[in-house]
Amino acid sequence: MTFREFLGSFFKKPSKSVSGDVTSESGSYEELYTGAINAFAVFAVIDMVASLCAAAELKTYQNGKPFKGLEWHNLNIRPNVNQSATEFWKEAYSKLLYEGKLLIVPIGGQKIIADSFSVDEYALWENVFTGVTRGSFTFNKAFHSSEVFYIQYSNQKVKPVINDVLSVYSALYSEAANNYIRSGGSKGVIEVDTLPAGDPKLEEEYSKSLNKRMREFNRARDATLTLFQGMKYTELKGSGGGKEISDIKSIFDGAVTRAAQAFKVPPQLVLGEVSGINDAIDYMLTVCIDPLLNVVSEEFSGKEFTPEDYIAGNYIAADTTNIKHIDIFSLAPNIEKLISSAFANVDETRERAGLHPTGEDWAQVHFCTKNQEPVTNLNIMGGGEKS
């Protein structure tokens, strides 16, 4: 099942059901509610993580220095003819997080994300991938591990755990939703003047039929019921449902929180809370985003470069400075110290702050203020400089 099919399976429109002379939509909406909370909780977290990861730049290095060549363009601008880099990587990380594995096939200068595949794993030889498909197209060959990029999510067992946890919230959510439906729907009672008598079988069938009709009628939010002569219907007013709405929101937030924690995402980011957001983003970058980006960059570096090339400074690394917006004015004191201590030159500092390097020769020079001189150049006892 693809990630899109997974989401679509939860959001099918409920269909009307007709039983006897009762027409309603009972049951189907209950399934929709319980399925929707699972889908939204997981989707909201995965979509956030995938979007942040897709914003990172995969830098290519040559002899230890950043180099923008064809591979950089392929990774960051156009991986294939049908997808931009943002679309490509967002889909890739979504599949990796939900399905626990991601297969990317490089072919004809393009990189293609596989929708489905089978893998034969070996301990001492290369794994073999067969039945690789993308959309309606199936690759008519077997791929060895060295020919593809295969990435596995370190926490592959997270999905069944999430399903088990969210099933509890689904049950609670379903009960709260049913309480709201019962309190806000249109219902009533039927009074019958006489019951069929003399035939026990007829009385039993009549009772079963009436109970079935009323049960389906009561399950529905709005429904119609045909009345015969001798029957009287009295409508009962709903009680409002204010408490049920509060319960639904609380249960919903709880489900989203559990899903966020499973993927190492601070819950306040998914719930839209702004308090402590900077610390939450820093935490998420450290424990969630960076590990995902590292495993991808390591896979690409290991497959595209030999060990000798990698040691010589040819590799691919993720840069997350695009993820978090930087206020250069708030960074001014720190920028000054970085430059004045010779830790970084002007262009290096500009690049880390999200600005384009100047490319000027003077911006490549490292500066050091006088108070940063070595201790050996200072007259410590006299408190001044040596003559």
Side-chain angles (χ1 to χ4, degrees):
M1 176 184 290
T2 66
F3 186 68
R4 293 176 181 174
E5 290 172 344
F6 154 72
L7 293 177
S9 65
F10 284 106
F11 293 103
K12 294 178 181 178
K13 183 179 179 181
S15 57
K16 289 186 177 181
S17 60
V18 179
S19 177
D21 46 13
V22 177
T23 303
S24 70
E25 294 181 339
S26 65
S28 55
Y29 275 110
E30 179 180 341
E31 296 172 0
L32 177 65
Y33 295 147
T34 56
I37 188 174
N38 287 355
F40 183 84
V42 174
F43 172 76
V45 177
I46 289 181
D47 187 67
M48 171 175 285
V49 175
S51 297
L52 292 176
C53 288
E57 177 187 0
L58 288 175
K59 287 188 173 181
T60 54
Y61 289 82
Q62 191 175 77
N63 298 323
K65 296 182 179 180
F67 173 76
K68 290 186 178 181
L70 293 178
E71 182 61 11
W72 178 90
H73 182 274
N74 187 250
L75 290 171
N76 297 282
I77 304 299
R78 205 73 186 177
N80 57 63
V81 296
N82 294 314
Q83 290 179 300
S84 67
T86 301
E87 294 171 330
F88 176 90
W89 288 114
K90 188 172 182 180
E91 178 187 350
Y93 285 107
S94 296
K95 287 181 68 67
L96 178 60
L97 289 169
Y98 178 71
E99 298 179 5
K101 53 188 178 180
L102 168 66
L103 180 65
I104 299 176
V105 180
I107 188 166
Q110 303 185 67
K111 291 179 174 61
I112 308 298
I113 299 174
D115 283 335
S116 61
F117 60 90
S118 298
V119 56
D120 296 323
E121 297 183 349
Y122 301 95
L124 302 178
W125 297 277
E126 292 187 50
N127 295 338
V128 179
F129 300 86
T130 56
V132 180
T133 66
R134 174 66 181 182
S136 59
F137 179 77
T138 301
F139 290 91
N140 190 25
K141 66 166 293 187
F143 296 93
H144 289 83
S145 182
S146 59
E147 299 177 291
V148 297
F149 303 107
Y150 182 53
I151 304 161
Q152 293 179 285
Y153 186 47
S154 59
N155 193 8
Q156 292 189 56
K157 296 182 179 180
V158 68
K159 187 169 66 172
V161 174
I162 291 176
N163 289 338
D164 290 342
V165 173
L166 292 186
S167 64
V168 177
Y169 283 92
S170 293
L172 296 174
Y173 190 89
S174 176
E175 183 63 26
N178 287 336
N179 290 338
Y180 172 73
I181 290 173
R182 286 193 294 268
S183 64
S186 176
K187 295 181 176 64
V189 296
I190 295 179
E191 299 177 20
V192 182
D193 288 342
T194 58
L195 288 175
D199 188 343
K201 185 175 181 180
L202 180 60
E203 292 181 12
E204 182 181 357
E205 292 297 329
Y206 180 82
S207 179
K208 286 182 178 181
S209 175
L210 185 59
N211 287 337
K212 180 180 179 181
R213 291 163 57 201
M214 293 306 301
R215 183 166 56 250
E216 294 178 354
F217 179 76
N218 287 329
R219 285 178 179 175
R221 177 179 177 87
D222 297 290
T224 58
L225 179 67
T226 302
L227 297 178
F228 302 100
Q229 186 175 1
M231 293 182 174
K232 179 183 177 182
Y233 173 77
T234 303
E235 184 177 357
L236 300 177
K237 299 296 182 181
S239 59
K243 180 180 181 300
E244 288 75 15
I245 289 294
S246 177
D247 291 342
I248 289 174
K249 182 182 183 305
S250 177
I251 295 169
F252 189 84
D253 289 350
V256 173
T257 298
R258 298 290 87 79
Q261 291 173 336
F263 288 102
K264 304 175 185 178
V265 176
Q268 62 262 43
L269 295 180
V270 187
L271 296 173
E273 300 174 2
V274 296
S275 60
I277 190 170
N278 287 330
D279 291 338
I281 291 176
D282 290 339
Y283 175 83
M284 182 177 178
L285 288 173
T286 302
V287 303
C288 177
I289 303 299
D290 285 346
L292 286 172
L293 294 174
N294 288 340
V295 73
V296 170
S297 59
E298 288 170 2
E299 174 70 5
F300 275 77
S301 295
K303 295 290 178 66
E304 296 200 354
F305 300 101
T306 64
E308 294 75 18
D309 289 336
Y310 188 90
I311 294 173
N314 302 309
Y315 59 91
I316 296 171
D319 182 5
T320 60
T321 55
N322 294 336
I323 295 178
K324 185 177 179 181
H325 292 287
I326 298 175
D327 180 8
I328 61 174
F329 297 102
S330 64
L331 295 178
N334 296 325
I335 290 175
E336 180 183 6
K337 290 203 173 285
L338 289 173
I339 296 176
S340 65
S341 64
F343 182 84
N345 61 39
V346 173
D347 267 1
E348 289 172 338
T349 309
R350 286 177 60 87
E351 186 175 10
R352 297 300 294 181
L355 301 177
H356 292 291
T358 65
E360 300 290 338
D361 291 339
W362 62 266
Q364 316 306 316
V365 179
H366 286 76
F367 298 93
C368 186
T369 58
K370 214 168 189 181
N371 60 351
Q372 298 288 338
E373 290 187 67
V375 175
T376 54
N377 291 348
L378 301 176
N379 184 359
I380 302 300
M381 298 302 294
E385 298 182 8
K386 283 185 178 182
S387 171

